[in-house]
Amino acid sequence: MRTRTLRPHRRCAAGALALTALLALAGCGSGGDTDAKPHPTRRVSDEQAAAVPDDQASPATGSRATPSKGPVLPDAKLTPATGSFTARQKQYLHGRVPANMDPAAVLQVGQEACQRIERTAAHDRNAAVGALITGDVPSAADAIDQLCPKEKPLLKAAAAGFADGTRKNPKAGAYRALTSAAGCTWKALGVGDKVLASGPGTGDTRRVTAKIPAGTRTFVSSGCYAWLPA
């Protein structure tokens, strides 16, 4: 069976390719209380992964994974084939396991999300924060909350940022793009779509900084992947 892989985010192909290279370093196995004890290692098929509810939006919006739309296993039946789940694992699985699915397979999706974020952060913290902002690692926000809480500082950082594209009524200030790829452009629009500021910014060409002035109604960027306060 094939395992679930991360697909590059549409907003910034170059930035996403770099992120994908980092995420590809993620291995199997995670420390702490993220494994049922004892629990046999298994792989998640494409069909199983597709059935697990995904986190479809940035944690910056305060969203979390959507509950399963169909019947789900009651908490009393959230048990692995062998051993038992920890309290955190049960909390993560609550309302998330389709009635016809092994809860251990659903848990593994969350564990793998933690592994990807952890390994990415170890090599490039900005890449990990960007992945949380853009939703490039599905269900990562929920997984971090319950399965790898030591990564919560990444969620806090991501909450201050926003993804590439169009953002309405942004907070005025300086922001830095989380990409070193060429082609990142931005503009701040005021009343009547009047351009108040634009550019790739000044300074090091590998780092784009946007200064959003007061009165900006819409901030539009392209090829910048994600933004954080500078």
Side-chain angles (χ1 to χ4, degrees):
M1 291 186 287
R2 296 175 296 170
T3 57
R4 193 180 193 185
T5 57
L6 178 69
R7 297 181 179 177
H9 202 277
R10 295 179 181 176
R11 294 190 182 96
C12 178
L17 286 174
L19 174 64
T20 302
L22 287 171
L23 294 178
L25 296 172
C28 296
S30 178
D33 64 352
T34 58
D35 293 320
K37 301 180 180 62
H39 179 60
T41 301
R42 67 183 69 193
R43 304 306 300 165
V44 180
S45 69
D46 290 343
E47 291 77 12
Q48 288 175 319
V52 179
D54 283 346
D55 186 3
Q56 297 294 337
S58 162
T61 64
S63 64
R64 287 294 185 269
T66 304
S68 179
K69 295 180 180 179
V72 297
L73 283 179
D75 288 355
K77 293 187 177 181
L78 293 177
T79 56
T82 60
S84 60
F85 292 128
T86 67
R88 284 189 179 276
Q89 290 170 343
K90 288 181 178 180
Q91 191 169 354
Y92 174 77
L93 292 171
H94 172 73
R96 185 184 299 274
V97 184
N100 60 345
M101 184 174 288
D102 179 359
V106 177
L107 175 63
Q108 186 170 340
V109 172
Q111 290 174 327
E112 290 180 351
C114 278
Q115 291 162 8
R116 292 179 180 184
I117 291 296
E118 289 169 346
R119 295 296 183 89
T120 301
H123 289 81
D124 187 337
R125 186 176 188 276
N126 282 338
V129 173
L132 291 172
I133 291 173
T134 60
D136 276 339
V137 181
S139 297
D142 283 310
I144 289 174
D145 275 342
Q146 304 301 332
L147 302 180
C148 48
K150 67 180 181 180
E151 303 301 334
K152 283 187 177 182
L154 297 177
L155 281 180
K156 184 177 179 179
F162 53 90
D164 192 30
T166 300
R167 185 168 181 83
K168 296 292 186 180
N169 301 313
K171 184 179 180 180
Y175 295 84
R176 58 189 175 91
L178 298 183
T179 183
S180 59
C184 169
T185 60
W186 61 272
K187 57 185 176 181
L189 307 176
V191 178
D193 287 340
K194 179 182 178 180
V195 177
L196 304 180
S198 65
T202 58
D204 191 330
T205 57
R206 293 174 299 176
R207 176 174 174 176
V208 176
T209 300
K211 294 185 178 180
I212 302 178
T216 298
R217 296 289 186 88
T218 307
F219 179 78
V220 182
S221 65
S222 177
C224 303
Y225 188 54
W227 297 89
L228 280 178

